[in-house]
Amino acid sequence: MELDPVKLVEEIKATAPSYQMDGDTYYVVELDRKVKESDLLSYAQEVIHAVDPDTPAPTTLERLVAATVDGRPMRWEIPVTLTWAIDESSFKGRSKELAKARKICAAATADWNAAAEEKGISDQISFEEDAKDPVFHFVFRDFGNAGLYAVAFFPNDEISKRVVDIGPLTFEEPNDFDPVGVLRHELGHVLGFRHEHIRPEAQKGMSKRDKSRMEQWVIGKVGGEALTDYDSQSVMHYPLNGRGTLDFQLSDADKAGFHKLYSADVSDVKEFPV
């Protein structure tokens, strides 16, 4: 059956979480990436263009760990320090959440820095708080009833999209998920990693509807490449089908993939400047 981008847009609007931001409506695809409503048709067209309508999506696109552009894993142009800051104005009237944000943002970035130090790549990639000249911001975002914890971006996203949105659910106590872990996961996207649970090994036992949605929505203009064997304990793996964790710790395989991406020869990757 021929794929229709208009129908795909309709499906996204009917089933994807959405929220308002600065007067625009955003729909969340791939579970924690946002697409502006006005960009949905071009997004759907990219999806259709990437898939042969008469065959399933290629296996290389199913085995998603590192995000790729033009067939090469994407990363930041190294060496790089990813400076960050909290947009305190977005927390107006939420002093408790702001205080917690300061702690969890610092802890999550410190964990990735520790992994870089452990794997000997801290001279290539690191996070550092810098309110004066941040590469990206952590922003409080009221997602309404979308059921979202946080939303991130990739290295190839334009400067205006370099925001990690954190929703009210992240600050709830008690919480099903470790809030530091939620941000560790989102920072994985910032570094260039895709969801581990989209790989075929993770989809065994998944409902046909959910499986179809994942295979379809994760393609677009961004592909993927497996850097390590499947890891059900990955920080990039959502707790689905009895796999994944609730605390989103960095696994040994995560650290190995982190090292592989940020120590690869520049000719083997697609780099993006800050």
Side-chain angles (χ1 to χ4, degrees):
M1 181 177 67
E2 184 176 357
L3 296 175
D4 183 339
V6 174
K7 290 183 178 179
L8 179 54
V9 168
E10 292 174 351
E11 181 184 348
I12 293 173
K13 285 186 174 182
T15 60
S18 64
Y19 64 95
Q20 299 292 314
M21 183 175 72
D22 300 329
D24 293 312
T25 299
Y26 286 81
Y27 288 85
V28 178
V29 298
E30 303 175 36
L31 300 182
D32 57 4
R33 293 200 66 221
K34 59 180 178 286
V35 177
K36 189 185 295 187
E37 184 174 20
S38 59
D39 294 333
L40 280 178
L41 183 58
S42 60
Y43 176 84
Q45 288 170 336
E46 290 166 356
V47 171
I48 302 306
H49 178 71
V51 181
D52 180 343
D54 298 319
T55 61
T59 302
T60 53
L61 291 177
E62 293 176 355
R63 299 183 63 78
L64 300 173
V65 177
T68 63
V69 173
D70 299 330
R72 290 182 291 167
M74 73 168 73
R75 75 179 182 197
W76 296 97
E77 191 175 87
I78 60 173
V80 64
T81 298
L82 296 178
T83 52
W84 60 272
I86 296 174
D87 181 358
E88 297 190 2
S89 65
S90 68
F91 286 85
K92 185 177 181 179
R94 297 177 179 272
S95 57
K96 183 178 178 180
E97 286 87 349
L98 176 58
K100 187 168 184 177
R102 290 193 180 109
K103 293 180 180 179
I104 63 177
C105 292
T109 52
D111 286 343
W112 278 105
N113 283 347
E117 182 74 29
E118 178 183 330
K119 305 306 290 188
I121 55 172
S122 58
D123 59 334
Q124 301 298 315
I125 177 74
S126 65
F127 289 99
E128 180 180 306
E129 186 173 7
D130 183 353
K132 293 183 179 180
D133 188 26
V135 172
F136 70 97
H137 286 88
F138 290 101
V139 176
F140 180 86
R141 190 75 63 191
D142 188 350
F143 294 125
N145 297 320
L148 302 171
Y149 279 75
V151 177
F153 63 97
F154 281 138
N156 69 322
D157 280 322
E158 58 194 60
I159 292 176
S160 63
K161 295 182 179 179
R162 291 177 181 174
V163 173
V164 176
D165 293 313
I166 311 174
L169 288 177
T170 301
F171 300 101
E172 285 190 351
E173 295 180 3
N175 204 315
D176 290 336
F177 303 112
D178 174 11
V180 177
V182 169
L183 294 190
R184 276 194 295 265
H185 174 95
E186 299 306 331
L187 290 173
H189 291 311
V190 172
L191 289 166
F193 297 107
R194 305 214 72 168
H195 287 138
E196 186 77 3
H197 53 262
I198 295 175
R199 293 170 63 147
E201 300 94 326
Q203 294 184 30
K204 294 176 181 177
M206 187 179 292
S207 72
K208 183 178 292 186
R209 175 182 175 82
D210 288 343
K211 185 175 180 181
S212 171
R213 214 159 71 188
M214 283 189 179
E215 290 173 350
Q216 189 176 67
W217 287 9
V218 299
I219 300 170
K221 63 182 178 182
V222 178
E225 179 177 314
L227 297 175
T228 66
D229 291 337
Y230 169 63
D231 176 21
S232 65
Q233 302 302 297
S234 171
V235 69
M236 302 311 296
H237 198 307
Y238 273 20
L240 298 167
N241 293 336
R243 304 177 180 91
T245 68
L246 299 179
D247 56 6
F248 298 101
Q249 294 286 347
L250 286 166
S251 70
D252 289 341
D254 290 329
K255 296 174 185 178
F258 188 25
H259 172 267
K260 186 172 183 178
L261 180 59
Y262 279 90
S263 63
D265 188 272
V266 67
S267 63
D268 295 328
V269 300
K270 181 78 170 180
E271 291 192 324
F272 292 90
V274 294

